Amino acid sequence: MKVAVIGSGYVGLVAGACFAESGNSVVCVDIDEAKIEGLKQGIIPIYEPGLKEMVLRNSAEGRLTFTTDLESAVKNSLINFIAVGTPPGEDGSADLKYVLGVARSIGRHMQGFKVIVDKSTVPVGTADKVRAAVQEELDARSVSIEFDVVSNPEFLKEGAAIDDFMKPDRVVIGTDNVRTAEIMKELYEPFMRKNNRLIVMDIRSAEMTKYAANAMLATRISFMNQIANLCERMGADVAAVRDGIGSDSRIGYDFLFPGPGYGGSCFPKDVKALIKTAEESDYDFLLLKAVEEVNELQKELLSTKVLKALGDGSKTPLAGRTVACWGLSFKPRTDDMREAPSLTIIENLLTAGAKVRAHDPEALKEARKFFGERIEYSHNQYEILAGADALVIITDWSEYRTPDFDRMLTELKNPVVIDGRNLYKPGRMFDAGFDYIPLGRSSSAISGVVK
């Protein structure tokens, strides 16, 4: 099949590469000339495991091309994916100007039947707006060309996007047109070889499914963070509690790890957008408002623990103190720092007068966009510990799971480890001589934990 993917950001680039991998002829379109030139030269603008190799392979074999020529891409492709950004507006609603701009461009340039697919995360009712925008352009041209609009939300996890696309849990197709449904089934058939996980539904339900999925996952995270905070106050161990409730098949273990809050390009934006969508339908989504509030408070927690451990009570309580931070990206296996908890945590530390050093396996370049030269950066996770008063673990990269504890003790000025991901066994840390401060694990509860 001939496919155009309009928007070569995270979703568009992954989708384009994976469709090409299954044998389709794919052209990825973007208005950013520098990005397109870079892609032509094999320069991948984002970090995602396996993506670079897939892009290079399919580009070399001629199945994947890159262009800024939207007109040519639309004319030569049966299926046109809209994969541009939907940034949040000031009121939290999704800004559809880029989506509708692409829709109008398709309407201006299409010459024959097209399947237009909303791949961007968009509010319920967007397909109707896309359809109207395309039709408006066709009317302006005084032509009658058949087309259909489909909702096909993405469910990719950053850090595992290639596997998620190639071996999906499900593929949701929103359409009321039988012929269009068959075209989409044919496109996705190579990804359904072992088990058919393609779900066809009406367009509005497909649009809602994406928001509902992310809102549910964000709710689990905020819920578990609240449980962790309560455990600290009640003398309980959140790790034991997670085992206790996760073993219930109705609940499961996923997204029940306490931490410094959720971030990234999806959860914060989609929670806000769903709250706004509910308001527009005269519905007060109280639960999601609480989820969002809890998350913002959780991002303050690790810096508060640092202040409690090291602060002197003055206006700049961390003046003269050095804090090392492990992890900057919002999650491991990505360089994405959008809405990352590290942004709040480090800003709070700087405001309190601390000198901050940071390590991350992939996100140091991104971090400079936010912090500039206000903090120190290192590609060596132990180098930033030298003479530091505390280590704060923000992101649970695998590199941090089994570190050289003896070297940590040697390098740190004070053996204070504030673990925002509960990576280590408390008993072992205490016996080794660390002042270990995890989340959701009171001193009375973890004193009896098996070492």
Side-chain angles (χ1 to χ4, degrees):
M1 284 186 160
K2 292 188 176 181
V3 177
V5 181
I6 304 164
S8 299
Y10 183 85
V11 173
L13 191 55
V14 170
C18 290
F19 281 134
E21 183 77 3
S22 64
N24 297 290
S25 177
V26 180
V27 55
C28 287
V29 186
D30 205 282
I31 61 173
D32 187 334
E33 294 183 3
K35 178 190 290 186
I36 291 298
E37 285 304 312
L39 287 167
K40 288 179 178 179
Q41 297 171 28
I43 300 172
I44 311 302
I46 58 173
Y47 173 73
E48 178 63 37
L51 178 59
K52 182 175 183 178
E53 295 79 3
M54 185 175 285
V55 168
L56 293 177
R57 179 171 59 253
N58 284 281
S59 295
E61 295 174 5
R63 292 188 298 271
L64 181 62
T65 58
F66 303 96
T67 186
T68 57
D69 187 353
L70 177 62
E71 179 178 355
S72 175
V74 169
K75 287 180 178 178
N76 295 319
S77 301
L78 169 63
I79 305 175
N80 293 263
F81 281 88
I82 301 177
V84 293
T86 54
E90 292 184 4
D91 62 354
S93 63
D95 188 341
L96 297 178
K97 64 182 178 184
Y98 302 116
V99 170
L100 297 180
V102 171
R104 284 188 283 271
S105 294
I106 293 173
R108 282 194 294 270
H109 301 305
M110 59 189 287
Q111 299 295 325
F113 173 72
K114 302 295 178 185
V115 177
I116 302 168
V117 186
D118 286 336
K119 196 68 174 174
S120 303
T121 300
V122 294
V124 176
T126 298
D128 295 336
K129 295 178 181 179
V130 168
R131 190 184 306 275
V134 175
Q135 189 60 55
E136 183 180 330
E137 293 297 330
L138 293 177
D139 292 343
R141 293 167 55 194
S142 298
V143 296
S144 178
I145 302 175
E146 188 181 0
F147 69 95
D148 200 13
V149 178
V150 176
S151 175
N152 174 216
E154 56 86 13
F155 299 99
L156 305 177
K157 299 186 295 292
E158 292 193 41
I162 298 297
D163 282 346
D164 285 347
F165 202 104
M166 300 299 290
K167 295 177 285 187
D169 292 328
R170 78 288 203 194
V171 172
V172 172
I173 304 296
T175 180
D176 300 316
N177 187 300
V178 174
R179 178 176 67 160
T180 300
E182 290 303 315
I183 292 172
M184 296 301 292
K185 286 179 181 179
E186 181 180 346
L187 178 65
Y188 277 103
E189 194 276 334
F191 309 102
M192 304 287 149
R193 302 290 289 180
K194 290 186 177 181
N195 185 26
N196 190 346
R197 299 168 298 280
L198 193 145
I199 306 169
V200 179
M201 61 181 71
D202 65 276
I203 294 175
R204 286 183 170 242
S205 294
E207 291 171 332
M208 178 61 84
T209 296
K210 168 65 175 181
Y211 277 120
N214 280 350
M216 171 62 80
L217 297 175
T219 298
R220 287 174 67 98
I221 292 170
S222 283
F223 171 80
M224 205 61 194
N225 282 335
Q226 291 266 273
I227 291 294
N229 296 340
L230 186 58
C231 282
E232 283 190 23
R233 290 160 175 77
M234 300 295 293
D237 180 357
V238 72
V241 173
R242 178 180 178 274
D243 285 340
I245 64 176
S247 58
D248 187 326
S249 60
R250 298 169 300 175
I251 299 173
Y253 294 98
D254 292 341
F255 287 84
L256 289 183
F257 288 98
Y262 59 76
S265 62
C266 292
F267 288 6
K269 176 172 68 71
D270 293 353
V271 167
K272 290 180 185 295
L274 190 51
I275 291 171
K276 182 61 179 178
T277 296
E279 290 176 354
E280 291 171 351
S281 297
D282 196 27
Y283 183 75
D284 191 2
F285 211 142
L286 296 174
L287 177 60
L288 276 192
K289 288 181 177 179
V291 167
E292 184 178 41
E293 182 180 1
V294 166
N295 193 60
E296 292 307 306
L297 291 172
Q298 195 70 13
K299 289 181 179 181
E300 305 282 344
L301 186 60
L302 292 189
S303 52
T304 299
K305 287 181 177 291
V306 175
L307 286 170
K308 185 175 180 181
L310 303 177
D312 62 10
S314 67
K315 290 183 179 180
T316 52
L318 297 179
R321 299 286 198 171
T322 298
V323 180
C325 295
W326 279 0
L328 296 168
S329 57
F330 85 95
K331 63 179 287 188
R333 294 171 63 83
T334 181
D335 61 353
D336 195 343
M337 286 187 62
R338 286 173 288 184
E339 302 283 345
S342 63
L343 299 176
T344 299
I345 295 164
I346 291 175
E347 285 292 353
N348 287 348
L349 295 176
L350 292 172
T351 299
K355 178 180 180 181
V356 177
R357 303 173 184 160
H359 170 271
D360 189 282
E362 295 293 339
L364 294 184
K365 182 178 179 180
E366 284 297 307
R368 288 185 183 276
K369 298 177 183 178
F370 294 96
F371 300 116
E373 300 306 316
R374 293 186 295 150
I375 69 173
E376 294 181 15
Y377 309 89
S378 177
H379 291 282
N380 186 312
Q381 69 190 74
Y382 298 105
E383 183 178 74
I384 66 170
L385 303 183
D389 293 285
L391 165 64
V392 180
I393 301 173
I394 302 174
T395 313
D396 51 335
W397 284 90
S398 58
E399 288 89 332
Y400 306 148
R401 292 184 176 275
T402 54
D404 185 335
F405 292 107
D406 290 336
R407 185 171 178 183
M408 289 168 63
L409 277 172
T410 299
E411 297 286 359
L412 285 167
K413 178 180 178 181
N414 297 310
V416 176
V417 176
I418 298 171
D419 186 356
R421 297 293 179 175
N422 288 358
L423 298 183
Y424 312 130
K425 293 182 177 180
R428 175 179 179 178
M429 296 296 286
F430 292 144
D431 285 353
F434 288 98
D435 181 2
Y436 183 59
I437 307 171
L439 295 184
R441 314 182 85 171
S442 69
S443 57
S444 60
I446 61 181
S447 62
V449 172
V450 176
K451 302 172 185 176

